[in-house]
Amino acid sequence: MTTQAERTLTMIREVCALGRVEFDRPHTAEGDPAAGRALVQGLQAVDEGGEPSDVSLSLGLLASRAPYFDQLVLEALAAGTRQIVNLGAGYDDRALRFRQPGVQFFDLDLPEVVADKTLRFQALDTDITHVTLAGVNFATDDVAAVLARAGHDAQQPTLFIGEHLALFLQPSDVERLLAGVSGRAAKGGTLALTAEVHPAGLASALVVSTVAEAMFAGAGPLNTIKTRDAWLDLFKEHGWQVENATEVTAVNHFELPMADQPVQIQTQFLTATPV
């Protein structure tokens, strides 16, 4: 039996998938620009009341986030990177839109998501030989071992992307994830994550618990929100150096009522290289 938090996470995953296909997004010459819409056919993103969620509410955040990661993929391909790992890929279609000869994509997500995506891939009239789908539970599995079994080459540069993933993991699982991909990162590789950031001077545990109570009636799926400095330290501790650390690239995510005044939670984009 699924929990409320798990049902909410499924809804969010599907809302993001349905929202992304509303944009005109880039693709390579060999890529399939229509695959995204076909891939999410039939998804409903049902809320707790059993009604389809309002996808339009996610478009403001996706309008900044999706192009950021799309551009990173295009830049990596132009630089000669031949491995793209999408952590928490959900129903993202980058592996199809950015198909390019000699480039292997690895889409990682929960086993049940991967099973459904596999069926959806098989139903598409498009080449998927360059895509490896791998099931992983970031709370219990060693992502480095999962990648090794999937055929990832740790000696070759890789672009690792984690769009809208870390927020839903426990802080300890985020640490394990950063360390795990560091162990698979060759020189010339890149890691890019969205990190949820609260202002300095607040206790992160209090921020997370307030989010759960204020937004999800105490059973929220949002688990890791830190100050920017804490994020930078965490990356460094686990083998990553954030590029242009003094420059903040971000989009406002939501306001949180704390101490009788609103606190702005940002989604910040952190791009790092192996130390």
Side-chain angles (χ1 to χ4, degrees):
M1 184 174 180
T2 59
T3 66
Q4 180 179 333
E6 290 171 335
R7 292 192 296 273
T8 300
L9 184 54
T10 296
M11 178 193 70
I12 292 171
R13 180 186 296 110
E14 295 185 359
V15 163
C16 289
L18 293 169
R20 288 191 191 100
V21 300
E22 296 302 314
F23 300 105
D24 183 15
R25 303 179 69 187
H27 60 90
T28 57
E30 297 82 4
D32 186 346
R37 193 169 294 278
L39 188 61
V40 301
Q41 188 173 5
L43 293 183
Q44 293 184 312
V46 176
D47 63 22
E48 283 296 314
E51 298 295 327
S53 298
D54 185 358
V55 174
S56 66
L57 297 178
S58 71
L59 297 183
L61 182 61
L62 288 168
S64 297
R65 199 177 73 206
Y68 179 86
F69 286 92
D70 282 348
Q71 185 60 33
L72 284 177
V73 174
L74 287 172
E75 291 174 358
L77 295 177
T81 299
R82 291 294 175 259
Q83 295 182 129
I84 311 292
V85 173
N86 196 339
L87 303 160
Y91 295 97
D92 184 70
D93 69 331
R94 288 189 178 97
L96 303 179
R97 281 189 296 111
F98 294 129
R99 180 169 47 213
Q100 186 158 304
V103 177
Q104 190 69 24
F105 288 80
F106 299 85
D107 281 10
L108 276 60
D109 213 310
L110 293 169
E112 58 268 29
V113 177
V114 165
D116 186 43
K117 193 171 185 177
T118 298
L119 294 176
R120 291 172 179 273
F121 270 7
Q122 291 170 349
L124 299 178
D125 183 21
T126 192
D127 178 22
I128 57 172
T129 56
H130 65 293
V131 188
T132 299
L133 300 178
V136 61
N137 185 331
F138 293 109
T140 57
D141 295 338
D142 178 356
V143 68
V146 171
L147 284 169
R149 289 194 298 269
H152 174 261
D153 185 353
Q155 304 304 313
Q156 298 298 320
T158 300
L159 170 63
F160 300 91
I161 59 176
E163 180 187 355
H164 211 42
L165 169 64
L167 173 63
F168 302 102
L169 304 180
Q170 293 294 337
S172 59
D173 298 331
V174 174
E175 293 192 37
R176 292 175 60 250
L177 174 64
L178 292 175
V181 293
S182 177
R184 304 294 302 178
K187 183 179 180 181
T190 301
L191 168 65
L193 290 180
T194 50
E196 301 307 303
V197 176
H198 67 76
L202 298 174
S204 295
L206 178 60
V207 170
V208 171
S209 64
T210 303
V211 168
E213 290 297 331
M215 299 175 63
F216 300 99
L222 313 187
N223 298 304
T224 299
I225 308 173
K226 299 175 177 290
T227 66
R228 180 175 176 83
D229 284 346
W231 277 110
L232 296 180
D233 290 344
L234 189 64
F235 269 67
K236 187 175 182 179
E237 180 181 350
H238 294 287
W240 297 96
Q241 180 64 48
V242 174
E243 300 176 343
N244 303 319
T246 60
E247 299 178 10
V248 177
T249 303
V251 59
N252 290 338
H253 193 172
F254 57 87
E255 283 191 344
L256 185 66
M258 293 190 68
D260 299 323
Q261 62 181 11
V263 169
Q264 183 65 58
I265 306 299
Q266 287 189 327
T267 299
Q268 295 192 2
F269 307 125
L270 301 181
T271 302
T273 54
V275 174

